[in-house]
Amino acid sequence: MRSEKPKKKKRKWLRITGIILLILLIGIGAYVYTVFNSLSNAVDSMHKPVDRETTKRTETLNLEQQEPFSVLMLGVDERDGDSGRSDTMIVMTVNPEKKSVKMLSIPRDTRTEIVGHGTTDKINHAYAFGGVAMSMDTVENFLDIPIDYYMQINMEGFKDIVDSVGGVTVNNDLDFTYEGVHFPKGEVTLNGEKALKFSRMRYEDPRGDFGRQLRQRMIIQAVLKEGASLNSLTNFDDIFDALSKNIKTNLTFDEMVNIQKNYKQAAGNIEQFTINGTGQKIDGIWYLLVDDAEKTKIQTALKDHLSVK
């Protein structure tokens, strides 16, 4: 009879442990469902299809087969009195086999054909003339690669996205002051308001728009890094709310899930580069002229990364 007491105690603790584990699993399940539901709602708000056709792809892109794809990021400044032009244009190509991402900044003053408008103008004017579709068509023609997806970001609201991930830390390579905020060289931590100013400064940088593009890419990379961290799980509501209010994309929820599942290793290796050109005034308007050799070099690099001809 004495030997039964330890067994009863053991069974009692097993039951208690089992109940605790069950409660934890239910709690985790409810949390995962809440996150999943919030993300689904956010993506529904963000999703905005674009009506266009491309001749750069002969077959439909298949994300489940882990085929390389491209995204055009358009930073649109929606402040009062803004003309509606996309001041930021970044093309990202993602290749899961090579486990890498190429991030190309296109200077907004780049002179090129505006596809569908019948003019040659600054590339960022495509958005003012024909919105997202004309921007995608124009960039596709300029780079001679398929543009599969777009992501339109309201730059004024971008500060809310930065704040939602708890701020970002970047390595600043230029000491400057802009709109009353000093940004020293070295590692700096920025909230949303400061990150917006950090990415907007242009004229005090001897590199001009190229310097600004570099800072914009730094902020985007830092947001992606913070958004993917475990800390972001505690404030997912703020993140999803900021995204749904300030981003539009033709990516569907299922496509985002596929990308997260099949392409996440590529995000750890991001190569940044930009387009070089010569500044010149034509009819009193300043443009960046890109010669054929530079254009061919950029096109070849992106085609190789996308595995297209």
Side-chain angles (χ1 to χ4, degrees):
M1 294 295 292
R2 292 178 183 175
S3 63
E4 291 181 0
K5 288 184 178 180
K7 289 182 180 179
K8 287 182 179 179
K9 283 186 177 181
K10 187 176 181 181
R11 285 198 296 267
K12 181 180 179 182
W13 280 110
L14 282 172
R15 285 198 299 270
I16 292 172
T17 303
I19 292 169
I20 292 172
L21 287 173
L22 182 61
I23 291 172
L24 284 173
L25 286 172
I26 292 172
I28 292 170
Y31 179 77
V32 170
Y33 173 77
T34 302
V35 174
F36 186 86
N37 191 54
S38 295
L39 174 60
S40 180
N41 290 335
V43 173
D44 285 343
S45 298
M46 292 161 55
H47 184 61
K48 188 177 181 181
V50 57
D51 184 18
R52 64 182 291 265
E53 295 182 1
T54 176
T55 59
K56 300 298 181 183
R57 280 201 186 276
T58 56
E59 297 181 4
T60 303
L61 176 68
N62 191 332
L63 295 177
E64 292 185 353
Q65 294 297 319
Q66 299 186 36
E67 294 179 353
F69 69 91
S70 64
V71 181
L72 171 62
M73 299 179 67
L74 297 168
V76 180
D77 205 330
E78 296 182 354
R79 291 177 294 181
D80 291 340
D82 186 76
S83 63
R85 293 167 188 156
S86 51
D87 282 341
T88 301
M89 303 183 81
I90 296 174
V91 172
M92 296 176 66
T93 58
V94 185
N95 189 312
E97 185 178 347
K98 296 183 178 181
K99 297 180 181 178
S100 63
V101 175
K102 287 188 182 292
M103 185 183 290
L104 170 71
S105 291
I106 304 177
R108 62 180 186 175
D109 296 323
T110 301
R111 194 168 192 265
T112 189
E113 176 189 354
I114 307 298
V115 177
H117 195 255
T119 58
T120 299
D121 209 329
K122 296 184 179 184
I123 197 166
N124 72 323
H125 287 200
Y127 183 85
F129 296 144
V132 170
M134 191 171 288
S135 293
M136 293 177 76
D137 289 343
T138 297
V139 171
E140 190 172 85
N141 180 67
F142 178 69
L143 296 177
D144 196 29
I145 61 168
I147 299 296
D148 301 303
Y149 301 107
Y150 83 90
M151 188 172 291
Q152 178 186 328
I153 305 171
N154 171 19
M155 294 306 292
E156 182 65 18
F158 191 68
K159 60 178 181 289
D160 297 330
I161 298 175
V162 173
D163 284 334
S164 73
V165 298
V168 295
T169 300
V170 297
N171 191 19
N172 182 28
D173 66 349
L174 178 70
D175 187 294
F176 68 94
T177 299
Y178 182 69
E179 293 186 351
V181 179
H182 177 231
F183 299 94
K185 285 185 70 172
E187 194 173 89
V188 290
T189 299
L190 309 170
N191 62 14
E193 189 68 36
K194 289 181 178 179
L196 191 61
K197 292 180 179 181
F198 180 80
S199 64
R200 273 182 173 162
M201 192 278 284
R202 179 186 185 190
Y203 295 110
E204 294 177 34
D205 192 325
R207 298 164 296 187
D209 201 35
F210 294 100
R212 186 177 70 159
Q213 291 166 22
L214 173 62
R215 288 188 294 278
Q216 289 171 346
R217 294 195 302 270
M218 288 167 59
I219 294 292
I220 290 171
Q221 275 192 262
V223 167
L224 292 174
K225 180 181 178 181
E226 291 297 331
S229 71
L230 291 176
N231 293 333
S232 66
L233 291 177
T234 60
N235 59 327
F236 66 88
D237 266 338
D238 292 338
I239 296 174
F240 294 159
D241 183 59
L243 292 176
S244 64
K245 289 180 179 177
N246 296 294
I247 291 181
K248 298 297 178 188
T249 181
N250 60 336
L251 279 162
T252 65
F253 180 76
D254 288 343
E255 287 171 332
M256 289 186 185
V257 170
N258 270 323
I259 289 171
Q260 194 283 329
K261 181 175 66 175
N262 298 320
Y263 296 78
K264 58 185 176 183
Q265 286 188 321
N269 179 20
I270 300 178
E271 178 191 352
Q272 300 186 34
F273 63 116
T274 190
I275 296 174
N276 296 313
T278 304
Q280 182 178 324
K281 275 192 174 184
I282 299 176
D283 296 328
I285 299 173
W286 195 91
Y287 295 96
L288 182 77
L289 304 183
V290 181
D291 63 32
D292 290 341
E294 174 70 5
K295 190 183 296 185
T296 299
K297 182 182 76 172
I298 295 293
Q299 291 174 349
T300 301
L302 294 178
K303 287 177 180 179
D304 177 66
H305 201 241
L306 286 173
S307 300
V308 297
K309 296 181 179 180

